[in-house]
Amino acid sequence: MLFNTILLALRDIRRNVMRSVLTILGIIIGVGAVITLVTIGNGTTAQVTGQIASMGTNVLMISPGQHRGPGQDSAAPSFTLQDVQAIRKEIGSLKAVAPVVSANATAVAGNKNWSTSITGSSNDFFIVRNWIIESGRTFEQAELLTGRAVCVVGQTVRKNLFAEDDPVGKNIRLGKVSCQVIGQLQEKGQSSMGRDQDDLIVMPLLTVQRRFSGNRDVAGIQLSVEDSGSTEQATEELIILLRKRRHLADSEEDNFNVRDTKELAAMLTGTTKTMTALLSAVAAVSLLVGGIGIMNIMLVSVTERTREIGIRLAIGAFEHEVMLQFLTESVVLSSLGGIVGIIIALISSYGITLMLELPFLPDFQIIIIAFLFSAAVGVIFGYFPALKAARLDPIDALRHE
Amino acid sequence: MTATAENAAPPFIRLRGITKAYGIGDALTYALHGVDLDIAKEDFVSIMGPSGSGKSTCMNILGCLDTPTSGQYLFGGLEVSRMSRKQLASLRRYYLGFVFQGFNLLNRTSAIENVELPLMYRGTPAKKRRELSRQALKIVGLEGRESHTPGELSGGQQQRVAIARAIVTSPAVLFADEPTGNLDTSRSHEIMELLVGLNQEKGITIVMVTHEPDMAEYSKRIIHFVDGHVATEKEAA
Ligand SMILES: Nc1ncnc2c1ncn2[C@@H]1O[C@H](COP(=O)(O)OP(=O)(O)O)[C@@H](O)[C@H]1O
Ligand SMILES: [Mg+2]
């Protein structure tokens, strides 16, 4: 009996190729769009989250002048190493404090050259910015104190100057300075702003001050707060300390600024959330469009189906057999559409994430929800008109116009 | 009820005071008003009458496809008007065969699949089903047309598929509403001989609507319908 009903349903699907294909198509569109969009959204979110983590957490960046928007910092005296020492001594719950100066130079090794930026700092820099040493070592105390020409290189510099060779122990020339590579940093990839984070050379602070900037200024200070500490409190303390050290009167504005990477992270997360919401809205619309498509095709065929049900009832079908047949048909079509939709969505979103260099993170909960929604639409609109028709007297179903 | 004697030996099919009303309020009209009819087992009855006299309406009620507005319908001693929908479906499935005036075949479905359908609901195994359906199509002269869909068949051929579908189950009673309406004379006589054969050899009770006296001649009895009731009844020669 059940076998026969399934057989009848399958025959019906085959007979009504057009209706079946359109129903399946509606479900494929709905399920496919939702899964693809959500998977891409997930990938983007994960990438941004990863980038925020790679920036270093609980990081504060101090720079001279007032930050009045990008590139609008007003001129102000820079910091000194004494400022750095004062911060280290007087502010609690700091994990690391790194003075930073930078310079641009063209690095040459053998017959290759690469234009990059040089950061002068201490070993604290690696801690603050979450850098991991891939091979080699960080600076020794003596190198820092005497300003030796040694450097740690990022992966972009390594690739452009040494290709696949191990750079540790080799020499690179930076302008007039010949400098020995003592370590290389693990790759971080692009920052959330699209900047290549691995395009850098790190040298001892003193080396850069002497050989490149020609003064003892410290251009910026970067520090990280202990996980248990609060960046807000550290910021407050820093402002009080630096105002005192820079002899600012109460009426004067700060001539430096302290930036919390948490704010940047929050901004980025906010942007990602907006994007995800937008994608979800598009996905919901696709689901609806698919659903309306199914609804339409099912309702259009009601007359024909009602007559067919009349015939079946007239030649001896039981009400429940007719309903079971139509239910089976709806379920088979919906499942088929759902499964094809899921497969297409997974393949296409895999391709898209690969192309956009995003992690591929399908959300199985969404897959199931999208599938159930489309299937429900298919089943409801395939089944209920049939249910109504199966309750008529056969002659009334046959006469249905 | 005075009919103790009647109840003792009820005929196979009995209609008493069957009415059928269409519409409501001012538009209320009666297609049947008070049809009394007895049909014995293995009878072969022709129903004749002018168009609109209620022949089809009465056939639909006899075939358990429609419910009368009032009146009594006994089938093999059972009160049809008291049956549940499921019991009516069982009656149609296991005892009745119906040839519709408008064929009512499934579109886009091959002739043989149309004929197989009632067997499917009876649970006949697939092989047997094929065999019986082939046979039925052969009997109505449609050998070689098994895989044609109704759209690919002429009106007369569709009518014969509908006849094959009704007789494939060898029902106890066959109701046929103008089964030769779309057939030429020689084909009509063939179908009539087929019906006579089914009636005589298999003992199938046949009730047929026709407006051709030639065809009615094949039956044992002719019933005339006028204005929704049985006018005269005379034994066919
Ligand atoms: N579904 C219906 N709704 C309203 N009137 C109907 C319906 N079916 C039949 N009738 C009316 O009932 C009467 C008998 O119809 P029918 O039984 O088809 O006649 P016949 O088959 O003898 O030509 C006719 O007057 C017809 O108009
Ligand atoms: Mg008629």
Side-chain angles (χ1 to χ4, degrees):
Chain A
M1 210 311 281
L2 187 69
F3 173 77
N4 267 352
T5 308
I6 291 170
L7 193 70
L8 282 170
L10 292 178
R11 274 191 188 176
D12 215 48
I13 289 171
R14 206 193 52 204
R15 273 196 298 128
N16 300 289
V17 181
M18 198 63 185
R19 185 172 75 207
S20 307
V21 166
L22 288 173
T23 306
I24 290 176
L25 207 64
I27 294 175
I28 289 176
I29 290 170
V31 173
V34 170
I35 295 173
T36 309
L37 293 173
V38 169
T39 307
I40 292 169
N42 277 350
T44 315
T45 308
Q47 192 188 41
V48 170
T49 311
Q51 283 164 345
I52 289 167
S54 78
M55 247 168 19
T57 43
N58 284 353
V59 174
L60 297 176
M61 298 192 181
I62 310 168
S63 50
Q66 253 311 318
H67 188 67
R68 297 214 168 88
Q72 291 186 8
D73 296 7
S74 58
S78 21
F79 304 104
T80 61
L81 221 68
Q82 285 72 43
D83 290 329
V84 176
Q85 272 144 16
I87 289 170
R88 209 173 259 142
K89 201 163 73 196
E90 290 183 32
I91 296 183
S93 74
L94 295 187
K95 208 195 285 178
V97 183
V100 174
V101 291
S102 36
N104 289 311
T106 301
V108 183
N111 58 356
K112 295 190 178 128
N113 62 67
W114 180 248
S115 182
T116 184
S117 72
I118 302 168
T119 301
S121 191
S122 63
N123 285 332
D124 271 11
F125 178 73
F126 304 118
I127 300 168
V128 171
R129 302 300 295 271
N130 255 350
W131 282 110
I132 295 161
I133 303 294
E134 174 146 324
S135 70
R137 59 175 177 84
T138 54
F139 307 119
E140 275 164 9
Q141 208 54 33
E143 292 167 338
L144 289 164
L145 288 174
T146 57
R148 286 271 310 277
V150 290
C151 63
V152 176
V153 298
Q155 286 302 308
T156 303
V157 174
R158 198 265 304 150
K159 276 178 207 151
N160 283 288
L161 294 183
F162 303 103
E164 296 309 312
D165 295 345
D166 184 1
V168 176
K170 299 225 167 76
N171 275 308
I172 53 180
R173 204 157 46 72
L174 294 158
K176 292 190 187 78
V177 185
S178 178
C179 153
Q180 194 194 9
V181 179
I182 57 166
Q184 61 174 326
L185 300 169
Q186 209 175 66
E187 180 159 0
K188 269 192 189 178
Q190 279 199 347
S191 79
S192 42
M193 306 305 218
R195 197 173 52 79
D196 180 3
Q197 300 186 89
D198 299 307
D199 189 5
L200 87 168
I201 294 176
V202 187
M203 297 176 86
L205 177 74
L206 193 58
T207 318
V208 179
Q209 284 175 331
R210 257 197 216 145
R211 310 281 188 103
F212 295 91
S213 20
N215 59 45
R216 291 297 168 96
D217 292 346
V218 170
I221 302 167
Q222 301 187 356
L223 49 88
S224 63
V225 180
E226 295 279 11
D227 293 340
S228 57
S230 113
T231 52
E232 285 80 8
Q233 199 191 332
T235 305
E236 259 173 53
E237 289 174 20
L238 275 167
I239 290 171
I240 293 166
L241 176 67
L242 287 170
R243 281 185 72 89
K244 201 171 77 193
R245 291 187 57 80
R246 291 162 83 89
H247 311 295
L248 294 176
D250 285 351
S251 59
E252 284 177 284
E253 272 187 28
D254 295 345
N255 60 0
F256 61 92
N257 76 79
V258 182
R259 254 183 305 164
D260 191 337
T261 51
K262 225 176 0 193
E263 286 164 23
L264 190 64
M267 190 193 80
L268 284 171
T269 318
T271 312
T272 327
K273 274 202 184 123
T274 311
M275 201 193 79
T276 308
L278 215 69
L279 284 180
S280 305
V282 173
V285 169
S286 330
L287 205 58
L288 207 67
V289 167
I292 290 170
I294 297 164
M295 226 157 83
N296 211 24
I297 200 70
M298 290 297 190
L299 292 178
V300 162
S301 60
V302 164
T303 302
E304 200 198 26
R305 302 196 134 199
T306 305
R307 271 206 59 224
E308 176 183 336
I309 287 167
I311 294 171
R312 291 181 183 281
L313 291 173
I315 62 175
F318 290 137
E319 205 174 304
H320 74 263
E321 285 171 334
V322 171
M323 296 192 317
L324 191 63
Q325 179 199 330
F326 279 74
L327 185 65
T328 310
E329 184 191 319
S330 306
V331 169
V332 167
L333 285 181
S334 303
S335 319
L336 203 69
I339 289 163
V340 173
I342 289 171
I343 292 170
I344 289 178
L346 288 180
I347 291 172
S348 65
S349 53
Y350 180 74
I352 292 170
T353 49
L354 205 67
M355 221 160 61
L356 299 177
E357 295 181 356
L358 295 174
F360 175 61
L361 293 170
D363 183 333
F364 288 97
Q365 211 175 331
I366 293 293
I367 290 179
I368 289 170
I369 289 171
F371 177 76
L372 289 182
F373 178 84
S374 302
V377 171
V379 169
I380 288 167
F381 288 94
Y383 178 59
F384 281 90
L387 189 139
K388 229 176 104 191
R391 296 209 166 136
L392 295 172
D393 272 338
I395 203 73
D396 291 326
L398 282 169
R399 280 201 197 112
H400 187 85
E401 299 285 299
Chain B
M1 283 275 162
T2 55
T4 346
E6 274 186 14
N7 284 350
F12 191 36
I13 288 172
R14 161 166 289 180
L15 297 185
R16 282 294 176 272
I18 291 287
T19 68
K20 178 72 186 178
Y22 287 112
I24 42 166
D26 288 345
L28 189 83
T29 55
Y30 279 88
L32 296 177
H33 21 267
V35 174
D36 298 329
L37 192 61
D38 287 335
I39 297 166
K41 220 170 188 143
E42 301 183 20
D43 207 349
F44 187 166
V45 181
S46 282
I47 297 177
M48 300 188 75
S51 178
S53 56
K55 306 184 294 294
S56 293
T57 308
C58 187
M59 287 292 272
N60 292 337
I61 289 168
L62 284 169
C64 301
L65 303 173
D66 206 354
T67 40
T69 307
S70 67
Q72 193 187 37
Y73 176 9
L74 293 175
F75 184 95
L78 299 169
E79 189 128 12
V80 174
S81 34
R82 292 231 187 100
M83 286 186 184
S84 67
R85 288 175 57 80
K86 180 146 186 190
Q87 285 171 315
L88 289 172
S90 295
L91 205 56
R92 292 193 294 267
R93 173 182 294 194
Y94 295 109
Y95 298 100
L96 310 182
F98 207 101
V99 182
F100 296 92
Q101 201 173 358
F103 322 141
N104 280 326
L105 300 174
L106 289 185
N107 295 327
R108 295 190 295 280
T109 306
S110 67
I112 192 140
E113 280 181 0
N114 263 294
V115 176
E116 270 185 49
L117 212 56
L119 294 174
M120 214 142 172
Y121 286 118
R122 281 191 176 200
T124 312
K127 243 179 96 181
K128 187 90 196 274
R129 216 158 60 205
R130 273 282 131 138
E131 194 189 306
L132 288 172
S133 306
R134 239 172 246 289
Q135 227 172 339
L137 282 171
K138 192 177 166 187
I139 289 172
V140 297
L142 285 176
E143 209 176 5
R145 304 286 164 119
E146 288 87 352
S147 58
H148 288 51
T149 63
E152 298 163 349
L153 296 171
S154 71
Q157 288 170 328
Q158 290 182 48
Q159 185 143 44
R160 285 184 275 149
V161 175
I163 293 168
R165 184 179 63 185
I167 63 170
V168 74
T169 54
S170 301
V173 189
L174 176 67
F175 297 102
D177 197 349
E178 303 199 22
T180 59
N182 288 274
L183 303 181
D184 58 44
T185 319
S186 72
R187 195 58 89 179
S188 297
H189 285 288
E190 266 178 57
I191 293 294
M192 281 305 126
E193 267 147 32
L194 165 67
L195 295 187
V196 169
L198 289 171
N199 178 242
Q200 286 177 352
E201 285 150 35
K202 294 195 176 175
I204 295 177
T205 308
I206 297 175
V207 183
M208 173 183 82
V209 171
T210 182
H211 52 247
E212 296 165 88
D214 278 6
M215 302 303 137
E217 287 302 314
Y218 284 91
S219 58
K220 295 178 180 165
R221 288 201 297 149
I222 300 175
I223 295 168
H224 285 274
F225 262 62
V226 180
D227 277 346
H229 62 265
V230 179
T232 56
E233 192 176 319
K234 65 175 185 200
E235 298 297 318

